[in-house]
Amino acid sequence: MASRVIDVPLSVLDLAPVAAGASAGEALRHTTELARRTDELGYHRFWVAEHHNMPAIASSAPAVLIAHLAAHTTDIRLGSGGVMLPNHAPLVVAEQFGTLEALHPGRIDLGIGRAPGTDQVTALALRRTMEGLSAEGFPRELNDLMGYFDEAASGRITATPGRGQRPAVWLLGSSGFSAQLAGALGLPFSFAHHFSAQNTLPALALYRQSFRPSRWLERPYAMVAVNAVCAESDERAEWLAGPAGLSFLRLRSGRPEPLASPDEAAAYPYTEFEREFLAQRRQGQASGSPETVRRQLGELLASTGADELMLTTMVYDVADRVRSFELIATEVAGGLRR
């Protein structure tokens, strides 16, 4: 029996992957191409993530990239998945995203992360002080950021744009800390299942248990980010997914490099430990033919009760990236409706 059509909103997380032999400019043009196509297909939102000091990822400046993508799309929501608040002064983030909301009202999401999204040396280069880089400082800096958007707030500093131009604010997480904070503040929560699958269910349970209705949200709203590679067959999808696995191994070993080709990834001399590690990392993700991906995403929805899924597709060629989202839209979801 065929599994049911995936009928929750589907969204996109793109890291602007830099392929071996390509430039950052080409990577950003490919991300723009993907944003336009997923907008046409009816995906709900398109997020880019802040990373630094990573040769395989070109999305180091989300606010700049979001402005560009918003100018090249018409309906899809644009946002950050996320802006890493420890790297920035809250006032700067408020002004940047207040500007985006002023330019594109009702289309901007501000997803906020607690981790620096890089190594500590690079985080210090970004912030230029250790203050604000600790987990303990995050709730205070988040409160400062939210205050800059509040139209009724009083103070000596006014974020312009920003005050009265609040984007949709999300908290992002890969553990329970942000889940509990998002619940306590009554904010929507996005969980990084794509790289922290073992923590997904405990974090979502904590979010729902701690949720308190707010002026922004009456009941919990949870989005789950998942790796998804869809192709005409399971075998081709596995081949296309190879570079992402190799990239993750290299990153963990302190040797980040541009995204390898599928042939290079297939020829890499993996150790038995590395093969087992990658096999475990693929568990709970989605890779295969449309029927396989439909079943896998259905199982993820059944286990998590997610209100929305955000798909991230790290493959070498932009044509394969676009094709994966086309197949999921038409054959896994049966056509997307906003």
Side-chain angles (χ1 to χ4, degrees):
M1 178 184 296
S3 55
R4 67 181 178 87
V5 169
I6 303 302
D7 56 4
V8 300
L10 296 181
S11 294
V12 182
L13 172 63
D14 194 70
L15 305 184
V18 182
S23 68
E26 289 174 293
L28 294 171
R29 286 191 289 275
H30 292 161
T31 288
T32 305
E33 178 183 342
L34 182 64
R36 280 197 293 253
R37 184 63 180 127
T38 52
D39 186 22
E40 293 169 352
L41 290 166
Y43 282 87
H44 187 46
R45 58 185 102 238
F46 191 104
W47 283 6
V48 293
E50 178 184 351
H51 291 84
H52 301 278
N53 199 25
M54 294 186 185
I57 297 175
S59 57
S60 58
V64 178
L65 183 52
I66 290 166
H68 174 76
L69 297 176
H72 287 79
T73 54
T74 56
D75 297 309
I76 197 167
R77 296 188 65 91
L78 281 304
S80 58
V83 162
M84 301 306 168
L85 191 56
N87 297 339
H88 311 284
L91 176 59
V92 172
V93 178
E95 290 174 338
Q96 289 176 344
F97 278 79
T99 299
L100 289 169
E101 179 65 22
L103 289 170
H104 307 281
R107 289 186 63 202
I108 303 300
D109 297 329
L110 171 54
I112 302 168
R114 179 173 64 93
T118 185
D119 58 89
Q120 286 296 311
V121 173
T122 307
L124 184 58
L126 287 161
R127 190 67 181 248
R128 298 196 297 173
T129 174
M130 291 303 293
E131 186 179 354
L133 292 178
S134 67
E136 293 74 18
F138 180 74
R140 182 185 68 252
E141 299 223 323
L142 177 63
N143 182 67
D144 290 345
L145 172 60
M146 300 285 279
Y148 287 126
F149 291 123
D150 191 345
E151 197 163 18
S154 60
R156 296 178 60 188
I157 301 174
T158 300
T160 308
R163 185 175 181 178
Q165 289 159 323
R166 180 185 179 276
V169 176
W170 290 68
L171 283 193
L172 280 56
S174 58
S175 64
F177 183 96
S178 291
Q180 192 167 15
L181 184 58
L185 296 177
L187 293 173
F189 178 59
S190 179
F191 189 81
H193 177 80
H194 60 303
F195 66 80
S196 187
Q198 71 277 11
N199 293 326
T200 304
L201 296 183
L204 292 178
L206 190 59
Y207 169 60
R208 290 166 179 141
Q209 290 164 9
S210 61
F211 185 84
R212 299 292 180 269
S214 69
R215 55 178 165 156
W216 304 297
L217 199 61
E218 292 183 358
R219 60 181 185 175
Y221 191 93
M223 179 164 64
V224 172
V226 56
N227 291 302
V229 178
C230 192
E232 282 71 17
S233 67
D234 290 351
E235 293 76 19
R236 179 164 176 78
E238 183 176 357
W239 184 74
L240 292 174
L246 179 57
S247 180
F248 192 73
L249 282 177
R250 286 171 167 170
L251 180 63
R252 283 180 62 90
S253 65
R255 299 180 293 108
E257 297 180 21
L259 197 65
S261 69
D263 286 330
E264 181 184 348
Y268 183 83
Y270 298 94
T271 66
E272 195 61 36
F273 172 80
E274 288 172 334
R275 291 185 186 280
E276 178 61 26
F277 175 81
L278 291 177
Q280 291 178 357
R281 188 170 180 268
R282 286 193 294 268
Q283 291 178 1
Q285 309 300 320
S287 178
S289 67
E291 177 59 30
T292 298
V293 169
R294 188 186 308 118
R295 173 179 54 78
Q296 292 166 333
L297 293 183
E299 291 170 352
L300 181 62
L301 282 171
S303 65
T304 63
D307 300 288
E308 185 173 339
L309 293 178
M310 177 161 273
L311 315 177
T312 182
T313 303
M314 227 19 199
V315 298
Y316 179 79
D317 193 293
V318 66
D320 292 316
R321 201 147 105 241
V322 170
R323 181 59 177 156
S324 179
F325 283 102
E326 289 174 341
L327 288 171
I328 290 174
T330 58
E331 298 191 34
V332 174
L336 296 175
R337 297 162 297 281
R338 286 201 179 89

